[in-house]
Amino acid sequence: MDYSIFAMQVTRRMQSPRDPLHERLHRLISGEPERVTAGQRYRFYRKLSTELLPAVGEFEKGVWDYWDVPSRAPGDFQDWVDGLQGREARSSPAPDDGEPRYMVFTMSLLLQHGSTSDVRMTSHCNIPELQLWRWSTFEHLLKGITLLNFLNVQSDVVYLLPGDDAGYGLTAENLGSQDYHYLRNLHR
């Protein structure tokens, strides 16, 4: 079977000492069972979108991809999955220096190429180049997740940094490192 891929990653400055959005996302992600039906998966992504949409204007950096090239999709999806293996996470808490901390939210979906969901995403991701890195585009993309039939999603991954301990929030220096070289500054 051939596949397409949709992926999105955004960063947002965390409120301290506790960030309500981070806490809600963490609770939602960590509370999701490993095995679910397509309907349950749809509801999960709808809840994620509902949580993220009001905060779109707070996203500082981000990136998104949609590729309907079957030879490319599995490898790109694996690159996103590898983020779960800790390549992008801090290995120790950030120093208590009073500097802002950031959360990173990531999702990636491996879609059946040519399926109804893939055709919908092809149309939904047809964004003019000058609008690629706007908040309104990320809002549009998050809304697009609700267009999917998760029977057409072969595999998916969602992760949130930091995880359990907000002390592992990323610093501006972390986000400026080679590990995050691909992120774009987002704007109105």
Side-chain angles (χ1 to χ4, degrees), residues 14 17-30 103 160 166:
M14 295 174 66
R18 296 174 58 172
D19 185 83
L21 177 60
H22 175 266
E23 289 179 353
R24 288 191 308 270
L25 289 171
H26 183 268
R27 198 169 31 255
L28 181 61
I29 293 167
S30 63
M103 63 176 245
L160 179 66

Side-chain angles (χ1 to χ4, degrees), residues 17-133:
R18 296 174 58 172
D19 185 83
L21 177 60
H22 175 266
E23 289 179 353
R24 288 191 308 270
L25 289 171
H26 183 268
R27 198 169 31 255
L28 181 61
I29 293 167
S30 63
E32 185 70 3
E34 188 173 323
R35 302 241 186 254
V36 294
T37 66
Q40 290 168 317
R41 184 58 67 198
Y42 171 80
R43 286 188 291 280
F44 171 72
Y45 276 92
R46 186 178 180 126
K47 288 176 188 175
L48 286 173
S49 294
T50 299
E51 290 293 344
L52 289 164
L53 281 168
V56 166
E58 300 170 11
F59 296 168
E60 292 189 21
K61 293 178 181 260
V63 67
W64 67 273
D65 283 326
Y66 171 75
W67 292 101
D68 62 353
V69 179
S71 62
R72 182 174 180 166
D76 282 4
F77 183 76
Q78 188 60 49
D79 287 344
W80 288 101
V81 170
D82 287 345
L84 283 174
Q85 314 247 330
R87 287 190 339 189
E88 297 171 344
R90 293 186 59 86
S91 57
S92 61
D96 190 12
D97 57 9
E99 293 297 314
R101 298 293 179 255
Y102 296 86
M103 63 176 245
V104 177
F105 173 83
T106 306
M107 75 168 78
S108 183
L109 305 166
L110 193 61
L111 306 165
Q112 292 174 4
H113 183 70
S115 67
T116 303
S117 293
D118 186 36
V119 170
R120 287 177 181 163
M121 285 308 282
T122 298
S123 175
H124 200 76
C125 292
N126 187 14
I127 309 288
E129 189 170 346
L130 290 175
Q131 295 179 11
L132 292 176
W133 311 117

